[in-house]
Amino acid sequence: MTDIFQFTRALVDIESTTNHEAAVGEFLFETLSPLGERFSGQVERLTVEADRFNVFAHWGEPLVTLSTHMDTVPPFFPSREDSEFIWGRGSADAKGIIASMTGAAEALLDSGVRNFGLLFVVGEERNSAGAYAAARNPRGSRFLINGEPTENKLALASKGILRYEIEASGRLAHSAYPELGESAIDKLLDALERVRRIGLPEDALLGASTLNIGVISGGRAPNVIPDEALAEISIRLVGDPAPVREAMLHAVGDRAELREILCIPAITFDSVDGLDTAIVAYTTDVPAFGGAWGKPLLLGPGNIHVAHTNQERISKKELLAASEIYQQMVKKLLAGA
């Protein structure tokens, strides 16, 4: 049987920041292949782009699919453990979830359950490339159990995301003679000041939209008037993106170029009897699947508050509990299918 703790650590110790998932994908393919052979299933690499691929394993007709993502945010740091937690990049988001799902799959197969699958995708942390690719290649799944850190509670709603790049252009000059140049950084700062004053929508269920200026870059040297500057921004959506788009266009105006990079809507989910529920403020792959892999449900071990931090960790108790919950969900959904 899969040792969920050991498997989590093995996955964490393979660096797989977004766009560099090939090594962890190969590890999963090689790890799941014997499980496919042992229980007359099939394990596949599903091409996304170049050397990036999703991993899909299924036994019988995959009416229920357990899915999460292989990629992580930077920076990478390896695993360690203590009596309570497994630590390391991706331990909570979402490699511990992969381990719990795989453990659940093996236990289900040992008990004679079939007609379900595992789908592990690339690119969730950046643009959901793997989920969009999977949506173009559905396999008949009627239910998609998506794994993200919810502390093993079933999410009733999750926020969307609207991502922008704001790029300003200027003219190079010696900084001793600023009148001969045009500062792209000044233009960008002016635009960002107005962006930060935007009034964002609120929702009774999801709460307030939030805005994060995540990356700022630009300039050549401290004694050079900068000719270029760039900011990357994400807005957590709670409803219709149209008024936010209009506000962004008005705020940036002609100070810089505004480019929309990604828009994933907020989404609501149905409840399942017997499971605790939660509302989450983050965005998932679920909207990118577009229903192509069935009715979505969102649940996983781990606390989102430590994900993306240098204190990322996951509770061992939650990992084991998640494996049991996934088994129960698959059985219940198969009975209803």
Side-chain angles (χ1 to χ4, degrees), residues 104-185:
E106 188 168 6
L108 288 166
L109 292 166
D110 272 333
S111 67
V113 178
R114 300 292 185 274
N115 296 331
F116 71 93
L118 297 170
L119 176 63
F120 302 132
V121 302
V122 301
E124 188 272 347
E125 295 291 4
R126 193 67 181 174
N127 57 11
S128 292
Y132 280 115
R136 295 190 293 269
N137 186 24
R139 297 300 185 88
S141 181
R142 298 183 191 176
F143 297 95
L144 179 75
I145 303 172
N146 191 242
E148 289 287 348
T150 69
E151 298 178 272
N152 285 338
K153 297 177 182 178
L154 188 70
L156 296 181
S158 66
K159 291 184 180 181
I161 193 167
L162 183 59
R163 185 173 290 158
Y164 284 104
E165 289 180 350
I166 302 176
E167 185 172 21
S169 299
R171 186 171 64 253
L172 291 170
H174 194 293
S175 64
Y177 302 91
E179 69 276 8
L180 300 180
E182 191 176 359
S183 173
I185 289 178

Side-chain angles (χ1 to χ4, degrees), residues 186-213:
D186 285 350
K187 291 181 181 180
L188 181 62
L189 291 176
D190 289 344
L192 292 178
E193 181 184 5
R194 293 176 63 88
V195 164
R196 293 179 65 199
R197 294 204 300 265
I198 289 174
L200 294 171
E202 297 187 7
D203 178 79
L205 181 63
L206 284 165
S209 299
T210 57
L211 182 146
N212 180 55
I213 302 171

Side-chain angles (χ1 to χ4, degrees), residues 205-244:
L205 181 63
L206 284 165
S209 299
T210 57
L211 182 146
N212 180 55
I213 302 171
V215 176
I216 296 179
S217 59
R220 307 288 181 169
N223 56 347
V224 177
I225 302 298
D227 63 330
E228 59 182 18
L230 177 74
E232 297 181 53
I233 292 175
S234 62
I235 299 166
R236 300 290 174 174
L237 295 171
V238 298
D240 183 4
V244 180

Side-chain angles (χ1 to χ4, degrees), residues 25 43 50 71 85 97 114 146 150 219 235 324 337:
V43 182
D71 65 316
F85 295 104
I97 297 172
R114 300 292 185 274
N146 191 242
T150 69
I235 299 166
E324 294 292 331

Side-chain angles (χ1 to χ4, degrees), residues 34-53:
L35 202 59
E37 295 173 6
R38 181 177 156 203
F39 293 102
S40 301
Q42 188 174 358
V43 182
E44 305 174 59
R45 300 178 185 88
L46 304 182
T47 300
V48 175
E49 57 187 28
D51 64 344
R52 302 178 75 200
F53 56 89

Side-chain angles (χ1 to χ4, degrees), residues 264-298:
I264 296 178
I267 190 168
T268 58
F269 303 90
D270 290 342
S271 61
V272 174
D273 291 342
L275 292 176
D276 292 337
T277 59
I279 306 297
V280 299
Y282 51 79
T283 308
T284 74
D285 271 333
V286 168
F289 279 105
W293 284 70
K295 181 180 178 179
L297 300 163
L298 182 65

